[in-house]
Amino acid sequence: MLVVRPVRTADLPALERLAGTATPRLTNLPAHRDRLEERITRSRQAFGHEVGFPGDEHYTFVLEDLERGEVVGTATVRAQAGAREAYYTYRQETLIHASQQLDVRREVQTLALSHEVSEASLLCALSLDPRYKGTSAESLLRRARLMFIAQYPERFADILAMAFPGYLDDGGESPFWNSVGRHFFVRDYQEINYLAGVRSKSFIAEVMPQFPLYLALLTPQARAAIGREHPDHEEALAEMLAEGFLRSRHVDIFDAGPVIKGERERLASFRRAAWHPVRIRPEHALPDAEPAMVANQQLADFRCVVTRYALSPTGQLMLSPEHADLLGVEEGRAVLAAPLALPGAEEHDPGYDEGEL
């Protein structure tokens, strides 16, 4: 039985293990004990405080396998990506170079430093034990954060964003970093990625050129990597696009991985979520139904599980005693439920954000 819950102090060893096994290594989940301890402390403070608007809160969740008695995944939401310091990305732009005398008009692609994503809430730092890859556990961990945001909208921005790891070659090197960042930092990608996690990414923006980068001057390998996700994250990106996120013009300043954005109210988990009073019935008496994410409405004791979306004729959500106990709810209490399956292509209108390429 799997449950997503807020991180606890005792989860530190599990976070260290998950940080060390993330593929590729994540800037926002460094395998550094002190930084992870700080992450746990900040998360516990965020869950314990009254909040009226998004700020510098970090909400860290873990996925616990109760049968194994171990934490097997973690994921975080930063209430405001740039609350403490600007959240930098590269924004893809087009410049027009024209000369009437020579009868020349060229569209030139550039990358410009930007901190537009700073106001968004950032879904980040997701790492899952490889044994659970490709299972419903992966979707639960990734999207349970949306169930939490849906209940406490005042704590988060209207726009949510996610930055996916960028493409690395067979040697674990970033073609984009080697063509751009390495000229300003005499360090390889893995080392600079670790330093950014332990410190912050702001020092990159301080040293990187402030003028637009002309893509034509980059290596072909670097250009091909812009907006391209790491192969291990292709399915995750596809799921979040099905959720309703959109590709944007923004890419990561390290490896040029894609940054996607979504209006909260347009995401499938928000549009399809509904409150239901609980009706407790024995497991064997529950009817077959499609799986759903079900979350309680307790801030510091938030819980989200996958169970059957079995409704009574009067709209009550039928839960087994085990799931009701896990969620900490009694009969008659309301829970938030949303289908685990995402809409098919015929139901999904991707729309376009202002930066859609």
Side-chain angles (χ1 to χ4, degrees):
M1 191 174 288
L2 302 172
V3 60
V4 171
R5 59 165 175 80
V7 70
R8 300 170 183 159
T9 304
D11 298 325
L12 178 60
L15 259 61
E16 288 184 285
R17 175 175 53 83
L18 291 164
T21 59
T23 305
R25 295 296 178 91
L26 302 177
T27 305
N28 47 36
L29 189 65
H32 188 285
R33 190 178 185 87
D34 290 346
R35 298 291 84 78
L36 294 174
E37 283 182 333
E38 289 177 10
R39 179 183 296 268
I40 292 173
T41 299
R42 294 185 67 180
S43 179
R44 289 173 61 82
Q45 290 173 346
F47 278 104
H49 289 169
E50 291 293 326
V51 175
F53 54 88
D56 194 28
E57 298 82 28
H58 286 49
Y59 302 88
T60 296
F61 301 85
V62 296
L63 175 68
E64 184 175 7
D65 187 329
L66 298 175
E67 293 181 1
R68 294 178 181 270
E70 62 179 306
V71 168
V72 297
T74 184
T76 295
V77 184
R78 290 166 59 179
Q80 189 177 68
R84 179 173 294 186
E85 56 192 13
Y87 181 82
Y88 282 96
T89 61
Y90 273 125
R91 180 182 168 93
Q92 301 178 70
E93 303 282 2
T94 301
L95 297 181
I96 305 297
H97 287 241
S99 170
Q100 289 185 343
Q101 291 182 341
L102 298 178
D103 192 25
V104 172
R105 184 184 185 279
R106 294 291 303 275
E107 292 187 358
V108 181
Q109 304 301 315
T110 66
L111 293 175
L113 276 177
S114 168
H115 46 77
E116 293 177 19
V117 183
S118 293
E119 297 300 314
S121 292
L122 189 69
L123 280 67
C124 60
L126 187 147
S127 180
L128 180 67
D129 188 303
R131 294 171 294 177
Y132 296 81
K133 294 282 187 180
T135 70
S136 61
E138 191 167 10
S139 291
L140 173 63
L141 177 60
R142 187 175 298 120
R143 294 168 54 210
R145 294 174 291 182
L146 302 179
M147 299 290 282
F148 181 78
I149 295 170
Q151 295 193 49
Y152 303 99
E154 71 281 359
R155 292 174 176 259
F156 302 96
D158 292 334
I159 301 296
L160 308 181
M162 296 182 71
F164 282 84
Y167 172 79
L168 304 181
D169 62 22
D170 293 339
E173 290 293 320
S174 165
F176 182 80
W177 175 258
N178 288 340
S179 185
V180 179
R182 196 177 181 91
H183 294 295
F184 302 90
F185 298 85
V186 189
R187 301 174 188 267
D188 64 24
Y189 170 74
Q190 299 296 348
E191 183 179 4
I192 204 72
N193 195 42
Y194 175 77
L195 286 175
V198 172
R199 299 174 185 174
S200 74
K201 283 189 177 182
S202 62
F203 72 89
I204 300 294
E206 293 167 358
V207 178
M208 293 289 271
Q210 300 297 308
F211 300 102
L213 302 176
Y214 283 71
L215 268 58
L217 302 181
L218 305 184
T219 64
Q221 295 85 353
R223 293 198 299 271
I226 295 172
R228 181 179 176 186
E229 70 277 9
H230 189 281
D232 287 355
H233 291 258
E234 290 177 357
E235 292 184 5
L237 176 58
E239 179 177 44
M240 299 316 286
L241 292 176
E243 174 73 55
F245 283 86
L246 305 169
R247 288 183 179 271
S248 74
R249 291 183 181 267
H250 297 271
V251 297
D252 185 80
I253 60 175
F254 281 172
D255 54 25
V259 176
I260 62 175
K261 297 192 295 183
E263 294 180 31
R264 217 165 54 188
E265 301 307 319
R266 293 186 62 179
L267 301 181
S269 294
F270 287 80
R271 292 187 291 104
R272 306 171 79 200
W275 290 98
H276 299 282
V278 167
R279 186 175 183 181
I280 299 175
R281 290 292 180 269
E283 178 71 32
H284 66 83
L286 298 181
D288 288 336
E290 293 298 317
M293 297 181 293
V294 178
N296 65 9
Q297 50 179 324
Q298 301 176 36
L299 177 62
D301 292 317
F302 175 80
R303 300 289 185 274
C304 188
V305 301
V306 172
T307 186
R308 284 177 282 184
Y309 207 154
L311 296 180
S312 71
T314 55
Q316 295 170 306
L317 183 68
M318 291 183 278
L319 293 177
S320 68
E322 293 78 14
H323 277 119
D325 183 63
L326 185 56
L327 291 167
V329 295
E330 301 172 347
E331 188 153 311
R333 281 284 189 177
V335 291
L336 186 66
L340 185 65
L342 289 165
E346 67 281 356
E347 299 178 58
H348 175 54
D349 175 18
Y352 298 91
D353 78 351
E354 53 80 28
E356 183 76 4
L357 291 178

